[in-house]
Amino acid sequence: MTKINLLIVDDHTMFLQGIISLLEQEPNIIVVDKAINGLEALNIIQKTPIDFIILDISMPEMDGIELSKILKKQYPHIKILIVSTHSNVMIISRLIRIGVNGYLLKNAEKEELLKAINTIASGKNYFAEEVEEKHFINSSRIEKQVSNLAELSSREKEILVLIAQEYNTAEIAERTFISLNTVNTHRRNLLSKLNAKNTAGLVKYAVENGLVD
């Protein structure tokens, strides 16, 4: 039986301890280490052979999305299973595009977690049924939003993030070293390109696409 060298990355201590206790009973799984954020996980991976990572999304220092992007570029052999409370379809879609190998919600049963790990370790992907359904049902809307995002310039993305972070026009102008009129022009362009009716619509778009938490 092939052994799976596994790293668990989550900033919730109780979840970490529970998963470790559960997986230590499995003869083919070796829990090599644990980490509470992406930076700590990268430090472990640089020093220790890891085949598989169970990963949360929301963490301090470096979140699961950013860590997934780095792993897929620098350590493509490592299998990634996201286990999270997040069911936001845009976040799920973003991680699927990055290339994660699986996605479970934290309310999954022990049997499904083990099934996901073993399925992914065998070379296949595994996504919880509710995750797969949500992604499929919203796929056309997701593709449209991804297309709209690709049309934005780097300056427009910067302005969008600042708007979502509740900076007003004057504060945005000061932070980006542009005039008030230019900020307002960018805001109008964002409303048009993203088919948003108002600032609330821009904020919703930024959150759904993972530009801000």
Side-chain angles (χ1 to χ4, degrees):
M1 183 180 293
T2 304
K3 300 290 185 180
I4 302 170
N5 293 317
L6 187 143
L7 172 66
I8 305 171
V9 188
D10 195 297
D11 63 334
H12 293 94
T13 304
M14 287 182 63
F15 179 79
L16 269 177
Q17 292 173 343
I19 291 291
I20 290 171
S21 176
L22 186 155
L23 296 181
E24 282 180 339
Q25 303 172 35
E26 300 302 311
N28 65 319
I29 298 174
I30 302 171
V31 179
V32 175
D33 211 334
K34 62 184 185 296
I36 60 170
N37 59 54
L39 288 178
E40 190 173 307
L42 281 177
N43 185 51
I44 293 169
I45 290 167
Q46 288 166 2
K47 300 174 182 177
T48 311
I50 299 293
D51 308 314
F52 200 112
I53 183 167
I54 292 179
L55 180 59
D56 193 12
I57 295 175
S58 298
M59 297 180 293
E61 303 294 336
M62 180 189 290
D63 66 20
I65 295 174
E66 188 62 30
L67 178 58
S68 294
K69 288 193 290 187
I70 293 171
L71 291 177
K72 284 301 172 182
K73 288 179 180 178
Q74 299 182 13
Y75 304 93
H77 68 282
I78 295 179
K79 306 293 186 182
I80 302 173
L81 171 61
I82 302 293
V83 180
S84 175
T85 57
H86 284 287
S87 59
N88 182 299
V89 68
M90 296 307 297
I91 293 176
I92 293 169
S93 178
R94 189 177 179 193
L95 284 158
I96 289 173
R97 293 197 303 273
I98 289 170
V100 301
N101 304 99
Y103 199 114
L104 290 181
L105 298 177
K106 281 190 173 178
N107 61 2
E109 298 290 338
K110 169 187 174 181
E111 290 74 17
E112 186 173 24
L113 174 62
L114 294 175
K115 181 180 179 182
I117 293 171
N118 288 311
T119 298
I120 293 169
S122 73
K124 301 175 184 177
N125 290 339
Y126 187 96
F127 293 90
E129 185 175 344
E130 62 266 44
V131 169
E132 208 162 43
E133 285 180 358
K134 184 172 287 193
H135 176 73
F136 177 77
I137 291 170
N138 291 276
S139 59
S140 60
R141 180 172 69 89
I142 292 166
E143 290 306 317
K144 184 177 180 181
Q145 289 206 14
V146 170
S147 175
N148 289 343
L149 185 60
E151 291 179 7
L152 300 185
S153 67
S154 57
R155 176 64 87 181
E156 285 170 338
K157 289 178 184 176
E158 181 183 14
I159 300 295
L160 177 59
V161 169
L162 291 172
I163 290 172
Q165 291 174 336
E166 299 184 6
Y167 288 97
N168 61 37
T169 300
E171 290 169 333
I172 293 172
E174 182 179 353
R175 290 178 70 89
T176 57
F177 305 103
I178 58 179
S179 69
L180 295 175
N181 285 337
T182 303
V183 173
N184 285 326
T185 298
H186 283 307
R187 187 188 295 269
R188 287 193 297 272
N189 289 341
L190 285 167
L191 289 169
S192 176
K193 287 184 177 182
L194 302 180
N195 299 312
K197 295 180 180 179
N198 48 37
T199 298
L202 295 179
V203 173
K204 180 182 177 182
Y205 182 93
V207 171
E208 285 186 342
N209 284 274
L211 298 176
V212 294
D213 293 329

